Amino acid sequence: MFSHNRRKLLQASGALAAAGSVPLLARAQVAAPRVVVIGGGFAGATLAKYVRMWNPKIQVTLIEPNPSHVSCILSNLVMTGALGMNAITLRYDTLRSKYGVSLVADRAVGIDAVNRIVTTQNGSRIPYDKLVLAPGIDFDAVPGLDTAVLPHAWQAGPQTLALKGQLDAVPAGGTFVMSIPPAPYRCPPGPYERACLLADSLLRRRRAGRVIVLDANNDVVAEPHTFHTAFRTTYASVIEYRPNSVVSSVDWANKTIHTNWGPIRADGANIIPPQKAGKLVVAAGLLGTNPATRWAPVNPLSYESTVVPHIHVIGDSQGTGQPKSGHMANSQAKVCADALIRYFAGEAPDPAPMTSSACYSPITSKTASWLTVVFGYDAATGLMKPVPNTLAEAPAPSGDHYEDMFGWANNLFADSFS
Amino acid sequence: MKQIRKYLSGASALALLMATAAAHGAPPAGRLLASQCAQCHGTNGQAVSGMEKLAGESEGEIYKELIEMKARIKPDEIMHRQAAGYTDAQIRLIARYFATSGKVSTTTSTTPTTGTASRNKSRGDD
């Protein structure tokens, strides 16, 4: 599939494109441009779908070891038992059957950015003209924390059910401790939503003791009005919210969580570790040389890495400062898809891309809130900035919002995966 | 643009225009902006359930609705905040894209629809 001549031609045409003069049309007549995508979450699936839908002449290969993606969105409702796993399990079949995406059920393990080849666990070598990394998040180790025993469930799947097991096993009047990592992390309102649903679930089963929320941040990160209200009123008898609280280690043999304020005894726990870009992003050197960098710096016009050319990073691993969420990942994937299509036509990216975020959070078993913001590219700073008057949370949770939550999720699932 | 649209009124003419654009790789105007509506309103505006379908609505309808939303933001309407994110010119491009792509998608849509939207969400004035 990959030949020396072809590579030389690619390098030559790449150089021409870099010079900003000649389109890649001559090259396109020789062979279809090849986009390889690593990771089939909301970002990767949307990217694969939209590139093929918008330009079927481009080959798209999605490398993803799992046969389906399990959505974090709505997964707290699986934790409470309101939904089954099938409701959040999104298969990749349609990407292949409807859009002609090539699926490689394998794990990408290496990137040769000079020769533009991805290597996989099973030994395949997959060449690319443009590589898109969408590996989601990775976690810092928390001393003593064994996630096989205490699941973080911040990637949905088997851990979601394991967390449900933790919740179901809390004895009447027991103490459940959950921790929130420092921002930025995946899904800003997510941990607070989880705290509410833990409390709601315990209350409804008449087993409520305490839910202690240890927040590494100095205040609620997202929807402060909604969650402070919920903590102070709806769940005042259950939730104890402690800002500036950092988990230093876990000693689960003794059911003890150690924090900067001292040890806490718990009957159940959900420790969500601090987060960073996916492993492959780090391994490919996309974080650059500053060891403090946790997310891949990219050009928000195309999501191309500012460190390694022809590798684009979308979704939670990218470091533009936009919120990390499935909705936002879908949003960025479209900007990236459009930029890739323009690139293969010898054009510059859209100079004024917009992205948006909208999400619904269940607050009780019958009500939900929402959070929204629109971002626009600011040419002066080269950053994506929130457009004035667009950042807002719902004034109050409601049953209507709870219903809309499923309309939002179902459309987002379909727009990303089918 | 209005002149051009007069001449290219039929779906086949539009398909030709899109094919020509595709051959040169130039995305149709408004496509990327309009795609930002799809997370809630479905791929190409073909909502699968629970949200308003945008495909096939007239340009004037979509434009007027979004302009009204951002002119009078109601705190309980998520869509008003979304509308506030876009300039009038961007809203025009979005509306025009849905109005024209909706016509094409009745014959070439790759998106399944499972019935019409159950509720008309976030109307500008009610």
Side-chain angles (χ1 to χ4, degrees):
Chain A
M1 193 172 168
F2 191 80
S3 77
H4 249 305
N5 283 344
R6 186 187 158 112
R7 197 162 80 206
K8 275 184 188 158
L9 184 61
L10 281 176
Q11 283 166 347
S13 59
L16 285 173
S21 53
V22 180
L24 298 184
L25 288 177
R27 183 214 163 286
Q29 283 158 5
V30 178
R34 298 160 306 182
V35 171
V36 172
V37 190
I38 299 175
F42 283 91
T46 304
L47 185 283
K49 167 179 166 173
Y50 269 79
V51 169
R52 290 287 303 169
M53 187 176 80
W54 281 344
N55 191 338
K57 289 177 182 161
I58 298 173
Q59 285 179 27
V60 177
T61 303
L62 173 61
I63 306 174
E64 165 60 55
N66 302 304
S68 53
H69 177 69
V70 184
S71 165
C72 285
I73 293 168
L74 300 185
S75 68
N76 282 331
L77 292 175
V78 174
M79 175 190 78
T80 64
L83 295 178
M85 284 294 280
N86 63 320
I88 58 169
T89 302
L90 305 165
R91 296 191 60 85
Y92 301 119
D93 304 346
T94 317
L95 294 179
R96 172 166 31 209
S97 62
K98 197 194 282 184
Y99 301 102
V101 173
S102 300
L103 300 180
V104 174
D106 200 348
R107 187 179 298 280
V109 292
I111 297 166
D112 175 349
V114 176
N115 296 304
R116 299 201 216 170
I117 298 172
V118 176
T119 51
T120 69
Q121 204 159 39
N122 294 341
S124 295
R125 291 164 57 80
I126 303 173
Y128 65 85
D129 299 317
K130 284 286 191 177
L131 177 62
V132 181
L133 297 189
I137 50 171
D138 192 18
F139 300 91
D140 283 355
V142 175
L145 176 65
D146 179 357
T147 54
V149 178
L150 281 185
H152 52 68
W154 218 242
Q155 286 160 323
Q159 287 208 1
T160 307
L161 292 176
L163 176 60
K164 177 174 165 49
Q166 279 282 318
L167 171 60
D168 292 345
V170 175
T175 297
F176 194 101
V177 172
M178 76 165 283
S179 76
I180 301 171
Y185 55 80
R186 165 177 286 178
C187 188
Y192 308 98
E193 166 191 314
R194 179 172 286 178
C196 287
L197 292 184
L198 284 167
D200 182 74
S201 190
L202 292 171
L203 276 173
R204 283 187 296 114
R205 290 186 255 187
R206 303 184 187 288
R207 288 198 280 125
R210 283 195 304 170
V211 173
I212 298 176
V213 180
L214 305 174
D215 193 342
N217 302 286
N218 61 14
D219 196 0
V220 170
V221 168
E223 299 180 56
H225 169 73
T226 297
F227 290 112
H228 277 305
T229 306
F231 294 170
R232 283 177 192 154
T233 59
T234 320
Y235 300 117
S237 64
V238 187
I239 290 179
E240 192 181 319
Y241 175 68
R242 299 185 186 174
N244 299 310
S245 299
V246 179
V247 173
S248 48
S249 67
V250 176
D251 174 11
W252 201 240
N254 293 307
K255 298 277 179 89
T256 303
I257 312 293
H258 292 280
T259 78
N260 55 329
W261 300 103
I264 303 170
R265 283 272 302 168
D267 300 293
N270 175 219
I271 306 303
I272 304 171
Q275 294 161 29
K276 57 192 174 188
K279 286 189 177 65
L280 216 48
V281 169
V282 183
L286 301 185
L287 298 188
T289 50
N290 181 348
T293 305
R294 298 176 76 84
W295 311 100
V298 297
N299 174 358
L301 296 179
S302 63
Y303 292 88
E304 185 170 20
S305 165
T306 55
V307 182
V308 181
H310 303 300
I311 301 181
H312 298 242
V313 184
I314 54 175
D316 293 349
S317 276
Q318 56 72 39
T320 60
Q322 297 170 92
K324 301 182 185 303
S325 70
H327 192 113
M328 193 39 109
N330 169 302
S331 186
Q332 293 161 1
K334 291 164 179 169
V335 175
C336 180
D338 186 78
L340 293 178
I341 289 165
R342 289 173 189 258
Y343 167 79
F344 288 122
E347 289 183 14
D350 187 318
M354 306 291 292
T355 57
S356 69
S357 182
C359 70
Y360 288 79
S361 283
I363 303 299
T364 69
S365 61
K366 294 186 175 63
T367 65
S369 67
W370 52 251
L371 174 64
T372 188
V373 63
V374 177
F375 283 85
Y377 182 71
D378 178 48
T381 58
L383 301 172
M384 294 300 289
K385 288 198 169 164
V387 179
N389 290 325
T390 65
L391 173 62
E393 61 180 294
S398 78
D400 268 3
H401 300 334
Y402 193 85
E403 189 188 330
D404 291 343
M405 174 173 67
F406 294 104
W408 161 71
N410 287 334
N411 279 290
L412 178 56
F413 291 174
D415 187 45
S416 307
F417 293 88
S418 59
Chain B
M1 192 64 197
K2 261 200 171 160
Q3 288 283 348
I4 296 169
R5 282 176 61 243
K6 263 186 198 165
Y7 289 112
L8 295 173
S9 54
S12 59
L14 187 64
L16 181 69
L17 177 72
M18 292 177 83
T20 310
H24 294 290
R31 184 175 73 181
L32 179 57
L33 283 172
S35 74
Q36 297 298 338
C37 308
Q39 287 97 315
C40 295
H41 296 281
T43 304
N44 296 320
Q46 304 277 1
V48 294
S49 66
M51 291 282 171
E52 190 176 354
K53 185 176 158 183
L54 299 176
E57 275 198 44
S58 76
E59 180 182 326
E61 227 175 342
I62 298 174
Y63 181 80
K64 181 170 176 282
E65 212 173 309
L66 288 170
I67 295 290
E68 280 174 5
M69 285 178 185
K70 72 169 187 169
R72 200 156 45 88
I73 295 175
K74 293 182 184 171
D76 204 28
E77 292 286 356
I78 189 170
M79 191 52 224
H80 292 196
R81 298 290 181 173
Q82 284 284 321
Y86 298 88
T87 64
D88 292 7
Q90 287 173 322
I91 288 173
R92 176 63 72 190
L93 285 172
I94 290 169
R96 188 166 292 170
Y97 183 78
F98 278 120
T100 50
S101 73
K103 280 175 195 147
V104 173
S105 72
T106 53
T107 50
T108 63
S109 171
T110 53
T111 306
T113 49
T114 57
T116 52
S118 59
R119 302 165 61 203
N120 270 352
K121 289 305 302 169
S122 301
R123 286 285 177 184
D125 46 351
D126 35 53

